[in-house]
Amino acid sequence: MPSGYRTPPEVEQQAVELIREGKTRPQIAEELGLSKRTLTDIAKRNQVEWARTGSGSSGTPDAMDRARAYRSEYMRDRRERIAEKLLDQTDRTLELAESESDPRRRQALMQSTDAAMRAYANVTKGDIVLSEQEKMQGATSMLEQILVVATRQVATAPPPRPGLIQE
């Protein structure tokens, strides 16, 4: 097709309806005589997404948001299980290190503990960031956002040193 060709509005609307019904790109391409690339462009212009296998999605933005939320919850649960296993492994390794008399083996066990704790931090880091973002999204005004940040700073600040003048 020539450059600058635009699909007629009625054909584009028909393609959007077929996408929402959950038909695949090849099915729609064959039915309407459009290329897969054109169908992708139509989907982007009309803000519809292709249904994912097993998602129960109709391709509408709301349905896709629900599918993403389900996947996010599933991944969060998986990360929690992995984090628990890492903490259990750390506990077992520390117990072994406490009773180990050979300095080299003790050092190896402590290095294993350190690696498990770094892995735990990496696994849980995303969830910590997400919970902070959720708090920020809940704040509707600039003042509320400042209060959320200030509360976070106070919560993570070290205790004051003795001898400092406090009011």
Side-chain angles (χ1 to χ4, degrees):
M1 289 189 194
S3 179
Y5 172 81
R6 179 80 183 231
T7 308
E10 58 277 357
V11 175
E12 190 164 313
Q13 187 57 40
Q14 192 176 6
V16 169
E17 289 172 18
L18 292 171
I19 293 169
R20 287 189 175 138
E21 288 175 15
K23 295 213 175 190
T24 65
R25 258 177 267 233
Q27 290 171 333
I28 299 171
E30 185 178 326
E31 187 172 327
L32 298 179
L34 300 172
S35 71
K36 293 176 190 174
R37 178 72 212 160
T38 300
L39 290 171
T40 300
D41 292 340
I42 289 171
K44 284 181 185 177
R45 272 196 303 271
N46 291 279
Q47 298 178 339
V48 292
E49 293 187 39
W50 300 94
R52 307 284 197 266
T53 304
S55 70
S57 169
S58 60
T60 63
D62 288 341
M64 293 308 294
D65 286 343
R66 283 192 305 274
R68 279 190 206 97
Y70 175 78
R71 285 191 299 273
S72 294
E73 185 178 332
Y74 169 76
M75 292 306 293
R76 188 172 25 255
D77 290 344
R78 266 187 89 185
R79 283 191 304 272
E80 284 177 16
R81 287 194 304 274
I82 291 169
E84 285 180 34
K85 287 180 180 181
L86 287 167
L87 287 177
D88 290 342
Q89 175 188 348
T90 302
D91 286 340
R92 287 190 305 273
T93 307
L94 279 174
E95 288 172 7
L96 289 172
E98 286 175 0
S99 62
E100 184 58 55
S101 59
D102 180 18
R104 287 185 177 162
R105 291 191 67 191
R106 182 181 174 95
Q107 181 182 12
L109 289 168
M110 293 309 293
Q111 287 173 344
S112 174
T113 300
D114 180 55
M117 289 309 296
R118 279 187 274 122
Y120 173 82
N122 286 337
V123 167
T124 58
K125 180 177 23 178
D127 291 329
I128 292 168
V129 170
L130 285 176
S131 68
E132 293 298 326
Q133 287 174 349
E134 289 166 0
K135 288 179 190 173
M136 290 302 284
Q137 287 174 347
T140 54
S141 70
M142 186 63 105
L143 179 59
E144 285 179 299
Q145 291 179 5
I146 291 170
L147 287 173
V148 167
V149 171
T151 304
R152 183 183 329 134
Q153 291 297 327
V154 169
T156 59
R161 294 188 324 240
L164 289 178
I165 299 174
Q166 297 182 13
E167 298 177 25

